[in-house]
């Protein structure tokens, strides 16, 4: 039930974006010069920016300011550390079966074995994941999502999306999240237990960015800052923390030409 509600909500957002972006501008409303300028300055990763920006303002200036941040502060301040850690471990433990399958789909059999060991050990000796004895065996807690599976097979991020109240996302991540919810045991968890699980993950996620909050506030364009950080994080996760170094050949050529001029002077 919870998966269906979430799916309908996100599909509604996608439909709204497609409709509003189609209605926002027409050839009759813009001159050819304006169209050309728009193409030149727009980010190809963000074709729905005209819709995403208001959604971001709503999410950051209202939902985060008045709901997410205060709730996270209260939760992290007044929840006993052992209980907070245990609940977070339990929430993450429910994602392990999906991580096992996603590792196998990427042919990461060693990581799949570690995820299997984590789930079995933490679900039994660890009391349904409340404790994390698997970490004593150096079994990594890194989890793989289906969106990363798609990325490993060459599927791009797709258009950047800001889901109102939830934050940055992309078409590939939305598809991946939907598939991950089809795996056991997430597919059979009742509505309210799943809401609690998602709430714990959201509160911890908000707490994790507390130290970076000032960077967002002080940035010239918080929207662009978050968007770039999002794509960098997705790329970081896709390559397991070792993204390839991309060399801008045009910039390299300019630097070489600049250095050649100094050589000529000498």
């Amino acid at each position: 039930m919870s998966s269906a509600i979430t799916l309908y909500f996100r599909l509604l957002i996608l439909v709204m974006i497609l409709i509003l972006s189609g209605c926002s501008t027409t050839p009759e409303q813009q001159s050819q010069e304006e169209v050309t300028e728009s193409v030149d300055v727009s980010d190809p990763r963000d074709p729905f920016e005209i819709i995403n920006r208001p959604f971001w303002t709503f999410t950051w200036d209202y939902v985060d300011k008045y709901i997410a941040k205060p709730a996270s502060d209260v939760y992290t301040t007044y929840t006993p550390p052992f209980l907070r850690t245990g609940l977070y471990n339990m929430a993450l433990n429910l994602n392990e079966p999906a991580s096992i399958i996603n590792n196998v789909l990427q042919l990461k059999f060693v990581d799949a074995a570690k995820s299997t060991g984590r789930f079995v050990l933490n679900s039994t000796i660890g009391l349904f994941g409340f404790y994390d004895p698997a970490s004593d065996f150096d079994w990594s807690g890194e989890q793989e999502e289906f969106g990363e599976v798609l990325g490993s097979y060459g599927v791009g991020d797709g258009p950047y999306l800001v889901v109102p109240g939830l934050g940055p996302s992309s078409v590939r991540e939305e598809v991946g999240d939907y598939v991950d919810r089809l795996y056991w045991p997430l597919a059979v968890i009742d509505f309210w237990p799943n809401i609690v699980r998602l709430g714990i993950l959201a509160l911890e996620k908000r707490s994790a960015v507390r130290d970076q909050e000032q960077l967002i506030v002080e940035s010239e364009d918080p929207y662009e800052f978050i968007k770039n950080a999002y794509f960098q994080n997705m790329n970081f996760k896709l390559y397991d923390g070792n993204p390839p170094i991309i060399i801008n050949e045009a910039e390299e050529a300019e630097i070489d030409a600049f250095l050649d001029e100094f050589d000529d002077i000498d």
Side-chain angles (χ1 to χ4, degrees), residues 66-141:
Y66 296 109
I67 299 177
K69 182 181 178 181
S72 177
D73 290 342
V74 170
Y75 177 75
T76 56
T77 300
Y78 295 103
T79 304
F82 84 94
L83 179 59
R84 176 185 164 193
T85 300
L87 292 175
Y88 186 54
N89 287 340
M90 292 181 72
L92 290 178
N93 190 57
L94 293 173
N95 294 334
E96 288 292 354
S99 186
I100 296 170
I101 298 174
N102 292 333
N103 274 312
V104 171
L105 291 176
Q106 296 178 80
L107 306 182
K108 298 179 180 179
F109 299 116
V110 173
D111 291 337
K114 289 182 179 180
S115 293
T116 302
R118 282 187 57 82
F119 183 69
V120 173
L121 190 60
N122 289 350
S123 298
T124 53
I125 298 178
L127 301 179
F128 301 103
F130 190 87
Y131 298 103
D132 184 18
S135 61
D136 296 334
F137 294 89
D138 198 27
W139 291 344
S140 172

Side-chain angles (χ1 to χ4, degrees), residues 204-220:
E204 291 292 348
K205 182 178 181 180
R206 180 60 183 86
S207 175
V209 301
R210 187 179 299 164
D211 293 338
Q212 287 76 40
E213 183 178 351
Q214 195 61 28
L215 295 176
I216 302 175
V217 175
E218 295 177 352
S219 62
E220 183 176 347

